[in-house]
Every structure is written in C-alpha cells, then in structure tokens.
Amino acid sequence: MALLLRLVLLCGVADFTSSLSITTPDQMIEKAKGETAYLPCKFTLSPEDQGPLDIEWLLSPADNQKVDQVIILYSGDKIYDDYYQDLKGRVHFTSSDLKSGDASINVTNLRLSDIGTYQCKVKKAPGVGNKKIQLTVLVKPSGIRCYVDGSEEIGNDFKLKCEPKEGSLPLQYEWQKLSNSQKLPTLWLPDMKSPVISVKNASTEYSGTYSCTVTNRVGSDQCQLRLNVVPPSNRAGTIAGAVVGILLALVLIGLIVFCCRKKRREEKYEKEVHHDIREDVPPPKSRASTARSYIGSNHSSLGSMSPSNMEGYAKTQYNQVPSEDFERPPQSPTLAPAKFKYAYKTDGITVV
C-alpha cells in the first residue's frame, strides 16, 4: 500500500514538472560599474500551457525599505520597458523572439544603484515559473597614487604609499621592484602585500623604480614611483642661506620704502612753497596806471592853488612821490630825460 502511494506521488510530480519550467538556476552575478550585466532566464513550455505568454522582471533594491519595482514587461506580444525610471533605456530583452523560451535581459552601463535581487517571472496558463538572480555592482580600482612620505636620505625613516582613488573592497596590494636587480630588501617582505611599506634606516641600495598593483574581484590598476636615496643635505648651510636671503630681502624692502617716503616729502615741500609764494605776495601794480593816477591828482591840486604858493607845493609834491610805486622807464643814452610840464591859468596869466 505504501509503495503504491509513492508511485502515485511520483507520477503527480512528473506531471507537474512537465509544465512550464525555468531552466536557469538561481545565481549571484558580480559586475563592474559601467559594464553590462547579462541576467539569464530560459524556460520550457509543455503542451498543456496554452494561455497567453506573459514575462515580467522585478527588482528588489538592496534597500529593503523600497518596494519591488517592475523594470520590463512582455504581455500581449508587446514590450514595456519604461516602468522604472532609474533603468529607463538601460534594460532590454536579449532575444527578439521571446516565445522561443529565452526571457534573458541585459542591464547596460551599470550603476551602484542597480544592486539588488532581480526576479524573472514567466506565465503561460496554467504554467507559472520564476527565478531570482542577485546582482552586485563593484567599482574597479582606479586613480592609483604612489608616493614617498618622508625625506629620501640615507639613514632616514620614510614610507612608500599606494592609495587608490576608488575601488570596492576587498582590495589586494602587491609591490614589485622593476629596476636595480629587481631584488626587494628582505626587511620589506612582510609589507609587500599592504598599501604601505615602512622603510627604516634607508640606504642607497633601496633606490630604484617600484610598482604597486591594486586588485579586487572586478579589475585592477597600477602605479609606479621612483625612489632615490641620497646623502643627507647640509641643513646648517641651507638654513644660513635662507636667513641671509631673508635679511637681504628686508634691507631691499627698507630701501625702497625709504626712497618712496623721501620722494613724497620732497614733492610735498615743493607744493607748500609754491602755495606760499602765490598767496603771500600780492601782484605788482601797473606802472602806467600808477603814474597817471598820481599826475591826475597833482593836476587837480595845482588847478586850485594860487601863484603864491605854487612853488612850495611843487617841491613838496615831487619829494612825496613813492619810489617803489612810480619808477621811470630806463632812458636811452642818446635821448634827454623826459620832463613833465604843468600849466594853469590864473587872472589871465599862463603859468608853466
């Protein structure tokens, strides 16, 4: 009886598995940022599956707070690929004939936001099947920078550093010496797989060209540096030279400032002197106008005098003519000095 029951169950399972089934197993896929991810979903149909074919891809983002999103759909012999804005234009079916049993898709130009679980659902009544694919987007190591941290002098301690600008963890490091016998110092061996090599008591044999390769699961990148271990520099001489240079610079600056201030004082003094001359000294009087006004005043006075006092007045007035206001013009040696005559009438008699 038990054996008969088992046979019946096996027959039922066989009937069930003979309907629509997805042959692609669940899997995890890792791809680099910017690449294209191929997500397979192949299925088989049975004679009993007579309904319309519907294919649906869903994305469950890595952030569990977001709900599942339909990213592409095939229904009624039409494709709808504009459901999810973040993947619009970047998700496509790989087959032009989906009824042939291939519902695989490509996701192009991968971004970190594309990380999540993708689910393929195929329905053709009464058959239904689905599979899940976990997609992880990683960043290749890039922008590797190699440099020496410290002074590359004999006897000094310094570090060789290898730093990628970006790259998904975990990262693996590998140092190599590319020149000078390509033999690495024994003391460095423990650090050859780390991003930093600590150099103690450096010597000239450490000089050479070194490379650092950074690798993760999706790619690698490399950088190089040139190490030159040299004798210690004369620090005292360097410091003394720097001090002398600073002092000379200060003296030069002082001279420039002194000359500028001196020039400004001279310009200021010249302006003040010129201003005083123009304001304190009045303009000279016109000689011709002074003479005419003086003669006119004397003429009016003479006209009112009598002959009896004329002689004394004339002498007195000529003695009172100011020398600074009335100056005679220079005379030519061949000409006689000019004489002024005054005439007036009194009681019918003309006096000159």
Side-chain angles (χ1 to χ4, degrees):
M1 185 67 182
L3 182 58
L4 181 61
L5 181 60
R6 289 181 181 180
L7 290 174
V8 173
L9 291 174
L10 289 174
C11 291
V13 171
D15 290 340
F16 177 78
T17 55
S18 64
S19 63
L20 188 152
S21 65
I22 296 178
T23 58
T24 303
D26 293 343
Q27 55 186 295
M28 296 181 62
I29 296 176
E30 289 183 347
K31 285 291 183 179
K33 178 183 175 183
E35 294 184 346
T36 297
Y38 169 69
L39 307 184
C41 181
K42 295 184 178 181
F43 60 92
T44 59
L45 300 173
S46 68
E48 291 81 9
D49 300 325
Q50 298 296 324
L53 178 63
D54 292 330
I55 301 173
E56 183 181 55
W57 277 89
L58 300 170
L59 169 61
S60 302
D63 186 356
N64 295 327
Q65 296 180 356
K66 296 182 180 179
V67 298
D68 293 353
Q69 300 285 340
V70 177
I71 60 174
I72 192 168
L73 175 67
Y74 173 81
S75 180
D77 295 333
K78 291 185 179 180
I79 297 174
Y80 305 90
D81 56 2
D82 56 353
Y83 280 94
Y84 189 45
Q85 189 65 30
D86 290 351
L87 282 171
K88 186 176 181 179
R90 296 193 296 121
V91 58
H92 313 280
F93 285 110
T94 60
S95 175
S96 58
D97 184 12
L98 299 179
K99 296 179 180 180
S100 64
D102 189 359
S104 305
I105 61 172
N106 279 334
V107 180
T108 62
N109 191 21
L110 287 173
R111 305 173 184 173
L112 295 179
S113 59
D114 297 337
I115 297 174
T117 301
Y118 292 76
Q119 184 176 1
C120 174
K121 288 185 176 182
V122 181
K123 179 181 179 182
K124 188 173 177 64
V128 176
N130 67 83
K131 288 294 180 181
K132 293 183 179 180
I133 298 176
Q134 180 69 40
L135 176 63
T136 302
V137 180
L138 302 177
V139 179
K140 292 180 180 179
S142 63
I144 311 298
R145 176 174 174 247
C146 294
Y147 64 98
V148 179
D149 184 7
S151 178
E152 306 172 42
E153 296 181 352
I154 296 175
N156 280 0
D157 297 343
F158 53 83
K159 295 179 179 180
L160 307 183
K161 292 188 175 182
C162 178
E163 297 179 351
K165 185 177 181 180
E166 60 179 2
S168 299
L169 300 175
L171 296 173
Q172 297 178 352
Y173 297 83
E174 183 179 2
W175 288 89
Q176 290 182 338
K177 190 174 184 181
L178 306 178
S179 62
N180 296 353
S181 77
Q182 299 183 357
K183 184 179 180 181
L184 293 169
T186 305
L187 296 176
W188 294 11
L189 295 179
D191 294 335
M192 299 312 294
K193 300 294 183 181
S194 68
V196 179
I197 294 179
S198 297
V199 180
K200 304 291 184 182
N201 191 22
S203 63
T204 55
E205 66 179 10
Y206 295 166
S207 298
T209 302
Y210 295 83
S211 70
C212 174
T213 303
V214 183
T215 307
N216 64 6
R217 294 196 297 268
V218 292
S220 64
D221 197 10
Q222 186 183 79
C223 65
Q224 294 183 2
L225 67 80
R226 175 66 186 176
L227 177 62
N228 293 312
V229 181
V230 296
S233 59
N234 186 0
R235 296 182 180 178
T238 303
I239 295 174
V243 171
V244 171
I246 293 174
L247 291 177
L248 290 176
L250 292 176
V251 171
L252 180 61
I253 294 173
L255 288 175
I256 294 173
V257 172
F258 174 77
C259 293
C260 292
R261 295 186 64 181
K262 183 178 178 182
K263 185 176 181 181
R264 289 180 181 177
R265 285 198 299 267
E266 290 177 353
E267 292 176 353
K268 183 178 180 181
Y269 176 75
E270 291 177 359
K271 290 181 180 180
E272 290 178 351
V273 171
H274 184 66
H275 182 71
D276 292 343
I277 292 174
R278 296 185 63 181
E279 288 188 355
D280 296 344
V281 180
K285 296 180 180 181
S286 173
R287 296 179 181 179
S289 62
T290 304
R292 285 195 298 269
S293 62
Y294 183 75
I295 292 172
S297 63
N298 285 341
H299 181 72
S300 61
S301 300
L302 292 174
S304 61
M305 290 185 179
S306 61
S308 60
N309 56 11
M310 178 63 191
E311 182 179 359
Y313 177 79
K315 293 180 179 179
T316 303
Q317 293 298 321
Y318 275 104
N319 292 335
Q320 293 178 355
V321 175
S323 61
E324 62 179 0
D325 292 337
F326 182 76
E327 295 180 4
R328 294 182 180 181
Q331 302 295 327
S332 172
T334 59
L335 298 177
K339 295 182 180 181
F340 293 95
K341 295 182 180 182
Y342 301 92
Y344 67 93
K345 284 184 178 184
T346 178
D347 299 332
I349 301 175
T350 302
V351 179
V352 179

